Amino acid sequence: MNLKDISKCLTANFDIRYVIRGIIDGSLSSLGVIIGASGGDVSLIITAGIGGGVANGISNILGALTAERAIVESVRMSQERVLLREEGYLKSSQAYRDALNRTTISGIWDGLSTTFGSIIPITPFFIFPKEIALFLAVAITTIILFALGVFIGKMSKENLIFSGVKMAVVGLLVALISFVIENIL
């Protein structure tokens, strides 16, 4: 498989829902981690945020690959039973290989997007003092979530503002819960 085939494969199997889900997941989980670590120094916040983001990204890749592959296998076995064929008969089919390929690419997009999303709330800590960076992390994450909500609203033909506000409120709720937990413990 050459570079052109790989590029064609990646774009043919690109599914925006995994990117959106990954960015939402990464940014919210990272926001929670950095708020939880905000009692420490900036290096702790950054390393906790990056470590949590990378772990979450890898977890999403593994989760998507294993869960979706299980579904692909279940469908394959069901089809073999309907066709009265022996176990593994359809494993050599192009449809089966395409399904596995889509699963792999989707899992990778999901994990990479999660890791990218986790960087969003961390970036202010590289530039600003901790207190300002914490405020900016919440604000930037909320803005990104609002924008994603608007995009989702556009895709699903919903009210754009309502969809954006709904996502932003979820981000603020995660921040509030994380602040409460951080201050209780």
Side-chain angles (χ1 to χ4, degrees), residues 22-80:
I23 292 173
I24 292 168
D25 184 27
S27 62
L28 286 177
S29 61
S30 183
L31 183 63
V33 168
I34 64 172
I35 290 172
S38 65
D41 65 2
V42 172
S43 65
L44 172 68
I45 296 168
I46 292 171
T47 56
I50 291 172
V54 169
N56 195 7
I58 292 168
S59 172
N60 280 357
I61 290 172
L62 181 62
L65 292 178
T66 56
E68 294 204 22
R69 183 176 179 122
I71 291 169
V72 168
E73 288 298 321
S74 174
V75 167
R76 178 193 55 81
M77 289 186 292
S78 175
Q79 289 172 338
E80 287 171 345

Side-chain angles (χ1 to χ4, degrees), residues 43-119:
S43 65
L44 172 68
I45 296 168
I46 292 171
T47 56
I50 291 172
V54 169
N56 195 7
I58 292 168
S59 172
N60 280 357
I61 290 172
L62 181 62
L65 292 178
T66 56
E68 294 204 22
R69 183 176 179 122
I71 291 169
V72 168
E73 288 298 321
S74 174
V75 167
R76 178 193 55 81
M77 289 186 292
S78 175
Q79 289 172 338
E80 287 171 345
R81 279 192 298 275
V82 168
L83 295 170
L84 301 175
R85 297 294 187 167
E86 71 277 357
E87 169 73 25
Y89 174 78
L90 293 175
K91 281 190 172 184
S92 62
S93 72
Q94 186 63 42
Y96 176 76
R97 287 193 302 271
D98 289 347
L100 288 181
N101 187 34
R102 280 190 305 276
T103 298
T104 301
I105 299 302
S106 297
I108 291 169
W109 275 114
D110 189 350
L112 291 176
S113 299
T114 300
T115 303
F116 172 75
S118 71
I119 294 169

